[in-house]
Amino acid sequence: MSGKPSVLFVCVHNAGRSQMAAGWLRHLAGDSVEVRSAGSAPADQVNPVAVEAMREVGIDLTAQAPTRLTWDAAQASDVIVTMGCGDACPVFPGKRYEDWQLTDPAGQPLDVVRQVRDEIRTRVEALLADLRRHR
């Protein structure tokens, strides 16, 4: 992987898990990683409870909006991290894939969303460390 690595986080609605993961990676990596997130069936807005949980750790998701997964976004990404979308997530040849099994924060109370947020941070930190090792 030469130059700046690119990571795409994908979940069904692009409203919770993938938005939190993208927020963490932007926060932790700065501009050293290109970060994208998308959904196979995007929601109308980012989950307000996810926005609140991330605000508690100093990450602002209020400007983010769910985005539809496109072939171009996937093609332009070095790593594609899927989160519970199963068969709805298309597979693009030659890409590095990780599938993170995470609780869907949709409809969950803030204490559950905090646990998901913290688990995502741990996984993003490990992914970032791995990307830095393979530069």
Side-chain angles (χ1 to χ4, degrees):
M1 195 177 307
S2 62
K4 182 164 36 173
S6 165
V7 177
L8 171 63
F9 295 102
V10 182
C11 65
V12 177
H13 300 300
N14 189 219
R17 293 166 288 189
S18 55
Q19 291 284 354
M20 289 193 287
W24 274 122
L25 187 54
R26 282 187 202 100
H27 179 74
L28 296 168
D31 62 1
S32 68
V33 177
E34 190 173 334
V35 181
R36 300 179 177 94
S37 71
S40 52
D44 295 332
Q45 65 177 18
V46 176
N47 178 340
V49 183
V51 172
E52 176 61 26
M54 293 300 282
R55 182 180 297 122
E56 292 178 350
V57 294
I59 299 172
D60 183 6
L61 297 183
T62 55
Q64 303 303 316
T67 306
R68 180 167 300 283
L69 176 63
T70 65
W71 175 266
D72 291 343
Q75 279 296 101
S77 301
D78 298 308
V79 180
I80 300 173
V81 179
T82 57
M83 303 175 181
C85 54
D87 295 340
C89 286
V91 173
F92 296 89
K95 300 296 173 184
R96 172 180 161 188
Y97 275 88
E98 291 190 18
D99 184 49
W100 295 356
Q101 296 298 317
L102 297 160
T103 300
D104 186 348
Q108 298 289 342
L110 185 56
D111 61 327
V112 172
V113 177
R114 285 182 183 125
Q115 292 170 10
V116 175
R117 173 198 69 202
D118 295 346
E119 184 177 348
I120 289 171
R121 179 185 181 139
T122 300
R123 291 175 186 235
V124 166
E125 288 171 337
L127 174 64
L128 183 56
D130 189 58
L131 289 172
R132 288 178 171 155
R133 265 196 309 278
H134 292 96
R135 292 197 78 173

PDB file of all heavy atoms in Angstrom, residues 82-99:
ATOM      1  N   THR A  82     -16.964  -4.136   6.778  1.00  0.00           N
ATOM      2  CA  THR A  82     -18.417  -4.292   6.805  1.00  0.00           C
ATOM      3  C   THR A  82     -18.853  -4.554   8.236  1.00  0.00           C
ATOM      4  O   THR A  82     -18.102  -5.108   9.045  1.00  0.00           O
ATOM      5  CB  THR A  82     -18.870  -5.440   5.888  1.00  0.00           C
ATOM      6  OG1 THR A  82     -18.214  -6.652   6.284  1.00  0.00           O
ATOM      7  CG2 THR A  82     -18.541  -5.142   4.430  1.00  0.00           C
ATOM      8  N   MET A  83     -20.078  -4.132   8.534  1.00  0.00           N
ATOM      9  CA  MET A  83     -20.598  -4.219   9.897  1.00  0.00           C
ATOM     10  C   MET A  83     -22.024  -4.732   9.868  1.00  0.00           C
ATOM     11  O   MET A  83     -22.971  -3.956   9.815  1.00  0.00           O
ATOM     12  CB  MET A  83     -20.561  -2.839  10.551  1.00  0.00           C
ATOM     13  CG  MET A  83     -19.188  -2.246  10.574  1.00  0.00           C
ATOM     14  SD  MET A  83     -19.224  -0.590  11.205  1.00  0.00           S
ATOM     15  CE  MET A  83     -17.506  -0.184  11.071  1.00  0.00           C
ATOM     16  N   GLY A  84     -22.162  -6.035   9.869  1.00  0.00           N
ATOM     17  CA  GLY A  84     -23.480  -6.618  10.021  1.00  0.00           C
ATOM     18  C   GLY A  84     -24.418  -6.460   8.849  1.00  0.00           C
ATOM     19  O   GLY A  84     -25.622  -6.568   9.015  1.00  0.00           O
ATOM     20  N   CYS A  85     -23.890  -6.217   7.642  1.00  0.00           N
ATOM     21  CA  CYS A  85     -24.832  -6.096   6.527  1.00  0.00           C
ATOM     22  C   CYS A  85     -24.932  -7.381   5.723  1.00  0.00           C
ATOM     23  O   CYS A  85     -25.727  -7.471   4.793  1.00  0.00           O
ATOM     24  CB  CYS A  85     -24.515  -4.902   5.639  1.00  0.00           C
ATOM     25  SG  CYS A  85     -22.846  -4.819   4.996  1.00  0.00           S
ATOM     26  N   GLY A  86     -24.130  -8.380   6.063  1.00  0.00           N
ATOM     27  CA  GLY A  86     -24.260  -9.695   5.445  1.00  0.00           C
ATOM     28  C   GLY A  86     -24.265  -9.644   3.933  1.00  0.00           C
ATOM     29  O   GLY A  86     -23.418  -9.022   3.318  1.00  0.00           O
ATOM     30  N   ASP A  87     -25.238 -10.293   3.325  1.00  0.00           N
ATOM     31  CA  ASP A  87     -25.297 -10.391   1.873  1.00  0.00           C
ATOM     32  C   ASP A  87     -25.596  -9.060   1.197  1.00  0.00           C
ATOM     33  O   ASP A  87     -25.429  -8.919  -0.007  1.00  0.00           O
ATOM     34  CB  ASP A  87     -26.370 -11.410   1.452  1.00  0.00           C
ATOM     35  CG  ASP A  87     -26.008 -12.813   1.907  1.00  0.00           C
ATOM     36  OD1 ASP A  87     -24.811 -13.059   2.182  1.00  0.00           O
ATOM     37  OD2 ASP A  87     -26.912 -13.654   1.993  1.00  0.00           O
ATOM     38  N   ALA A  88     -26.081  -8.077   1.950  1.00  0.00           N
ATOM     39  CA  ALA A  88     -26.379  -6.773   1.364  1.00  0.00           C
ATOM     40  C   ALA A  88     -25.106  -6.006   1.022  1.00  0.00           C
ATOM     41  O   ALA A  88     -25.142  -5.067   0.243  1.00  0.00           O
ATOM     42  CB  ALA A  88     -27.237  -5.937   2.310  1.00  0.00           C
ATOM     43  N   CYS A  89     -23.971  -6.416   1.589  1.00  0.00           N
ATOM     44  CA  CYS A  89     -22.706  -5.759   1.288  1.00  0.00           C
ATOM     45  C   CYS A  89     -22.062  -6.460   0.098  1.00  0.00           C
ATOM     46  O   CYS A  89     -21.732  -7.641   0.187  1.00  0.00           O
ATOM     47  CB  CYS A  89     -21.749  -5.843   2.476  1.00  0.00           C
ATOM     48  SG  CYS A  89     -22.187  -4.746   3.821  1.00  0.00           S
ATOM     49  N   PRO A  90     -21.896  -5.763  -1.005  1.00  0.00           N
ATOM     50  CA  PRO A  90     -21.268  -6.390  -2.165  1.00  0.00           C
ATOM     51  C   PRO A  90     -19.788  -6.649  -1.914  1.00  0.00           C
ATOM     52  O   PRO A  90     -19.167  -5.973  -1.096  1.00  0.00           O
ATOM     53  CB  PRO A  90     -21.469  -5.357  -3.272  1.00  0.00           C
ATOM     54  CG  PRO A  90     -21.629  -4.062  -2.570  1.00  0.00           C
ATOM     55  CD  PRO A  90     -22.249  -4.368  -1.240  1.00  0.00           C
ATOM     56  N   VAL A  91     -19.239  -7.609  -2.625  1.00  0.00           N
ATOM     57  CA  VAL A  91     -17.820  -7.929  -2.510  1.00  0.00           C
ATOM     58  C   VAL A  91     -17.125  -7.427  -3.772  1.00  0.00           C
ATOM     59  O   VAL A  91     -17.584  -7.673  -4.880  1.00  0.00           O
ATOM     60  CB  VAL A  91     -17.615  -9.449  -2.345  1.00  0.00           C
ATOM     61  CG1 VAL A  91     -16.143  -9.800  -2.396  1.00  0.00           C
ATOM     62  CG2 VAL A  91     -18.235  -9.919  -1.048  1.00  0.00           C
ATOM     63  N   PHE A  92     -16.043  -6.707  -3.567  1.00  0.00           N
ATOM     64  CA  PHE A  92     -15.278  -6.167  -4.678  1.00  0.00           C
ATOM     65  C   PHE A  92     -13.937  -6.888  -4.726  1.00  0.00           C
ATOM     66  O   PHE A  92     -13.214  -6.893  -3.738  1.00  0.00           O
ATOM     67  CB  PHE A  92     -15.086  -4.664  -4.504  1.00  0.00           C
ATOM     68  CG  PHE A  92     -16.382  -3.904  -4.536  1.00  0.00           C
ATOM     69  CD1 PHE A  92     -17.104  -3.692  -3.375  1.00  0.00           C
ATOM     70  CD2 PHE A  92     -16.893  -3.434  -5.733  1.00  0.00           C
ATOM     71  CE1 PHE A  92     -18.318  -3.010  -3.391  1.00  0.00           C
ATOM     72  CE2 PHE A  92     -18.103  -2.751  -5.763  1.00  0.00           C
ATOM     73  CZ  PHE A  92     -18.818  -2.540  -4.597  1.00  0.00           C
ATOM     74  N   PRO A  93     -13.607  -7.504  -5.843  1.00  0.00           N
ATOM     75  CA  PRO A  93     -12.378  -8.292  -5.950  1.00  0.00           C
ATOM     76  C   PRO A  93     -11.130  -7.475  -5.644  1.00  0.00           C
ATOM     77  O   PRO A  93     -11.063  -6.291  -5.975  1.00  0.00           O
ATOM     78  CB  PRO A  93     -12.369  -8.745  -7.416  1.00  0.00           C
ATOM     79  CG  PRO A  93     -13.777  -8.607  -7.876  1.00  0.00           C
ATOM     80  CD  PRO A  93     -14.380  -7.493  -7.075  1.00  0.00           C
ATOM     81  N   GLY A  94     -10.171  -8.132  -4.995  1.00  0.00           N
ATOM     82  CA  GLY A  94      -8.876  -7.519  -4.764  1.00  0.00           C
ATOM     83  C   GLY A  94      -8.813  -6.547  -3.603  1.00  0.00           C
ATOM     84  O   GLY A  94      -7.787  -5.906  -3.394  1.00  0.00           O
ATOM     85  N   LYS A  95      -9.888  -6.431  -2.837  1.00  0.00           N
ATOM     86  CA  LYS A  95      -9.898  -5.519  -1.699  1.00  0.00           C
ATOM     87  C   LYS A  95      -9.659  -6.308  -0.412  1.00  0.00           C
ATOM     88  O   LYS A  95     -10.013  -7.476  -0.316  1.00  0.00           O
ATOM     89  CB  LYS A  95     -11.241  -4.784  -1.587  1.00  0.00           C
ATOM     90  CG  LYS A  95     -11.587  -3.961  -2.800  1.00  0.00           C
ATOM     91  CD  LYS A  95     -10.580  -2.840  -2.989  1.00  0.00           C
ATOM     92  CE  LYS A  95     -10.815  -2.099  -4.290  1.00  0.00           C
ATOM     93  NZ  LYS A  95      -9.790  -1.077  -4.521  1.00  0.00           N
ATOM     94  N   ARG A  96      -9.073  -5.634   0.559  1.00  0.00           N
ATOM     95  CA  ARG A  96      -8.935  -6.243   1.886  1.00  0.00           C
ATOM     96  C   ARG A  96     -10.251  -6.021   2.624  1.00  0.00           C
ATOM     97  O   ARG A  96     -10.737  -4.901   2.716  1.00  0.00           O
ATOM     98  CB  ARG A  96      -7.792  -5.573   2.646  1.00  0.00           C
ATOM     99  CG  ARG A  96      -7.720  -6.017   4.094  1.00  0.00           C
ATOM    100  CD  ARG A  96      -6.587  -5.330   4.812  1.00  0.00           C
ATOM    101  NE  ARG A  96      -6.786  -5.411   6.240  1.00  0.00           N
ATOM    102  CZ  ARG A  96      -6.041  -4.773   7.122  1.00  0.00           C
ATOM    103  NH1 ARG A  96      -5.028  -4.026   6.726  1.00  0.00           N
ATOM    104  NH2 ARG A  96      -6.287  -4.882   8.402  1.00  0.00           N
ATOM    105  N   TYR A  97     -10.812  -7.118   3.135  1.00  0.00           N
ATOM    106  CA  TYR A  97     -12.089  -7.044   3.849  1.00  0.00           C
ATOM    107  C   TYR A  97     -11.916  -7.400   5.312  1.00  0.00           C
ATOM    108  O   TYR A  97     -11.155  -8.298   5.659  1.00  0.00           O
ATOM    109  CB  TYR A  97     -13.100  -8.040   3.253  1.00  0.00           C
ATOM    110  CG  TYR A  97     -13.815  -7.480   2.070  1.00  0.00           C
ATOM    111  CD1 TYR A  97     -13.280  -7.610   0.810  1.00  0.00           C
ATOM    112  CD2 TYR A  97     -15.003  -6.775   2.212  1.00  0.00           C
ATOM    113  CE1 TYR A  97     -13.921  -7.064  -0.291  1.00  0.00           C
ATOM    114  CE2 TYR A  97     -15.640  -6.223   1.123  1.00  0.00           C
ATOM    115  CZ  TYR A  97     -15.095  -6.372  -0.117  1.00  0.00           C
ATOM    116  OH  TYR A  97     -15.723  -5.820  -1.191  1.00  0.00           O
ATOM    117  N   GLU A  98     -12.657  -6.690   6.152  1.00  0.00           N
ATOM    118  CA  GLU A  98     -12.837  -7.090   7.546  1.00  0.00           C
ATOM    119  C   GLU A  98     -14.323  -7.007   7.813  1.00  0.00           C
ATOM    120  O   GLU A  98     -14.987  -6.081   7.331  1.00  0.00           O
ATOM    121  CB  GLU A  98     -12.085  -6.148   8.493  1.00  0.00           C
ATOM    122  CG  GLU A  98     -10.580  -6.266   8.394  1.00  0.00           C
ATOM    123  CD  GLU A  98      -9.843  -5.520   9.495  1.00  0.00           C
ATOM    124  OE1 GLU A  98     -10.477  -5.185  10.529  1.00  0.00           O
ATOM    125  OE2 GLU A  98      -8.644  -5.269   9.323  1.00  0.00           O
ATOM    126  N   ASP A  99     -14.844  -7.959   8.550  1.00  0.00           N
ATOM    127  CA  ASP A  99     -16.256  -7.908   8.933  1.00  0.00           C
ATOM    128  C   ASP A  99     -16.306  -7.816  10.449  1.00  0.00           C
ATOM    129  O   ASP A  99     -15.846  -8.722  11.140  1.00  0.00           O
ATOM    130  CB  ASP A  99     -17.019  -9.134   8.437  1.00  0.00           C
ATOM    131  CG  ASP A  99     -18.502  -9.017   8.760  1.00  0.00           C
ATOM    132  OD1 ASP A  99     -19.096  -7.962   8.460  1.00  0.00           O
ATOM    133  OD2 ASP A  99     -19.065  -9.977   9.327  1.00  0.00           O
TER     134      ASP A  99
END
